[in-house]
Amino acid sequence: MNYTEISREKFEKLKTQKDVLILSVESSCDETSIAIVKNGREVLANIVSSQIEIHKLFGGVVPEIASRNHIKNITAVLDEALQASGKSLSDVDAVAVTFGAGLMGALLVGVNFAKTLAYALKVPLIAVSHVHGHIGANYISHLDLTPPFLCLMVSGGHTAIVDVQDYCKFDLIGSTVDDSVGECFDKVARVLGLSYPGGPNIDKLAKHGENAVKFNYKTPLRDTYNFSFSGLKTAVVNFVHNKEQKNEEFSKEDVACSFQELVTDELCDKTMKACHELKQTKLVVAGGVGANSRLREKLQEKCAENGVSLFMPALKYCTDNAAMIGAIAYYYILAGIGLADLTLTAKPTVSI
Ligand code: KG4
Ligand code: ZN
């Protein structure tokens, strides 16, 4: 039997196997990460090698540099993950990898690494969507969480409200019509002279400011579940440039705080409206902006007021990591989806 036949046969068997150990690989942006996850819920190891310090010098991720550093780091990350998990390669039942969305060159490093591993180990290769992975982060943070639920997806690449009817059944309720919320945080951070990555730095700065700045901005798309952040981004950029051109003093802390209040209000209002109208009593947060302290605080308040149970990933699983990929890959296997072969390639965009 050739590799494709062997992996198809093993993939079928995994659906009913008692324990499934997945080695997962994530390299969609500037984090090289490998995890070992058991049965989609138990993280035996999750090693994340961040390139933040390198990309900080350029004010953002430089794709070519990101791919080169993935190549440089990935085997050491694998060794570390195996050591931390106490497992060896022969224990691995399947290899899962993020195939998209993300930076093409960065993704290709992970995809080719995973293909090589799966082929050498003669185990199934599972192609995982990064967006689904962010939802999977909640299964390792909340062992009792099961679908159905509503998900607020807030990452650097996506901003959406998703109706998660089952582990692998996703229905898009609304999404951004322009920038993602993460891009908006990063752009505002840059105009305020904060270093990359901007989101966490806005979060920190906002704690020292007041909601005192009125931007020339009106919340758009009020009656839909869609978002638009480009207008707010432009309003903040114009405010700052205007002050700088006129040599007028302004408080960066207040700008950060006022911006963050508007963004988090918009996210909370639409999400709570969706929970109410779709009669959802479980809300799950996914993606890097889910680490934002003010968003977490407001959602906690609103959900408590409205009788909605709130699930947010542990902070270490909000931003990119391989454990979340291994978690959702387990449910791909149970649903019989995602099996890939050696022709697998990367995709810069994926739909939810
Ligand atoms: O989900 P993620 O790690 O990567 C993508 O899949 O895109 O999200 C990264 C985004 C960046 O825009 C980053 O600035 C933002 O998440 N982020 C935050 C915070 N931590 C990360 N934004 C606001 N507040 C934070 N604490
Ligand atoms: Zn991500």
Side-chain angles (χ1 to χ4, degrees), residues 173-243:
I173 301 294
S175 67
T176 179
V177 297
D178 41 54
D179 296 343
S180 76
V181 65
E183 274 177 279
C184 191
F185 264 99
D186 293 342
K187 178 72 196 186
V188 167
R190 197 176 303 178
V191 82
L192 289 177
L194 306 176
S195 68
Y196 170 82
N201 288 325
I202 293 267
D203 194 348
K204 275 187 218 141
L205 195 68
K207 290 192 200 306
H208 305 287
E210 282 178 26
N211 184 7
V213 183
K214 294 274 167 283
F215 302 110
N216 182 16
Y217 169 76
K218 248 194 182 156
T219 309
L221 308 174
R222 273 197 173 274
D223 299 324
T224 77
Y225 294 129
N226 290 332
F227 298 97
S228 166
F229 292 107
S230 74
L232 176 58
K233 181 184 78 181
T234 308
V236 180
V237 169
N238 286 348
F239 175 88
V240 172
H241 284 167
N242 202 276
K243 290 284 177 194

Side-chain angles (χ1 to χ4, degrees), residues 28-29 31 101 130 134 154-158 180-186 196-204 260 286-293 318-320 324:
S28 64
C29 192
E31 259 98 26
H130 185 77
H134 274 300
V154 276
S155 72
H158 291 82
S180 76
V181 65
E183 274 177 279
C184 191
F185 264 99
D186 293 342
Y196 170 82
N201 288 325
I202 293 267
D203 194 348
K204 275 187 218 141
Q260 187 174 264
V289 183
N292 184 267
S293 62
C318 279
T319 44
D320 294 347
M324 67 185 198

Side-chain angles (χ1 to χ4, degrees), residues 58-90:
F58 305 95
V61 179
V62 183
E64 177 61 28
I65 294 177
S67 350
R68 275 193 245 155
N69 279 284
H70 285 311
I71 295 171
K72 213 161 113 188
N73 298 335
I74 201 160
T75 43
V77 172
L78 172 66
D79 289 345
E80 215 182 311
L82 287 170
Q83 204 176 9
S85 69
K87 299 287 179 187
S88 66
L89 283 175
S90 58

